[in-house]
Amino acid sequence: MIDRPDQARVARFQSDLATLESAVNLYRLDNFRYPTTEQGLDALVTAPVSEPAPQNYASGGYIDRVPQDPWGAVYQYLSPGVYGEFDIFTFGADGVQGGDGINADIGTWTRQ
C-alpha cells in the first residue's frame, strides 16, 4: 500500500516526467534527433559537446535544470529506450532497479 507522502512523490514524478518529455521532444524538433544516452538529460540544460553535436540548439537550453527524482536520485535516461524512442525513469524509493510497490521502477512506460 502506498501512503500519502509516497502518493505525493509519485504525483511529483508525473509532473517532472511531463516537463522532461516535453523538453526532450523540443530538443528533437530543433535538432532532428533526441539526445543520446551518453549526452543524457543534461543536454536539455547545456548544449552537448559530444557527437552528435546539436546544430540548432535553443538559446538558453530547454529547461533551467534537471530535477532530481522525488527520492533525491538522478533521473535515468535511455535513447533509444527499451520501451520507446526514449525512456525517462526512476528506480523508485529504494534506488535499485526492479522492485514492487513504491520501490518499483517508474517511467515513461508506466503512465497512469
Side-chain angles (χ1 to χ4, degrees), residues 83-102:
Y83 302 97
E85 293 184 85
F86 63 87
D87 295 339
I88 300 170
F89 59 101
T90 177
F91 292 128
D94 64 359
V96 177
Q97 189 173 4
D100 296 314
I102 200 62

Side-chain angles (χ1 to χ4, degrees), residues 8 21 23 31 35 38 44 53 56 58 60-61 67 70 76 90-92 94-95 98-99 104:
E21 277 187 300
N31 299 290
E38 293 75 26
L44 305 174
N56 298 306
Q76 305 297 309
T90 177
F91 292 128
D94 64 359

Side-chain angles (χ1 to χ4, degrees), residues 5-6 10 13 23 47 51-52 57 66-67 77-78 81 84 88 98 102-104 110:
D6 287 331
V10 171
F13 167 77
E51 292 297 325
Y57 194 81
V66 178
Y77 173 78
L78 295 174
I88 300 170
I102 200 62
N103 294 324
T110 62

Side-chain angles (χ1 to χ4, degrees), residues 25-64:
N25 284 317
L26 286 172
Y27 181 102
R28 181 178 181 268
L29 282 173
D30 287 349
N31 299 290
F32 310 106
R33 63 176 300 119
Y34 295 112
T36 65
T37 298
E38 293 75 26
Q39 292 168 333
L41 295 173
D42 289 335
L44 305 174
V45 178
T46 55
V49 294
S50 62
E51 292 297 325
Q55 299 303 309
N56 298 306
Y57 194 81
S59 174
Y62 297 88
I63 55 176
D64 293 332

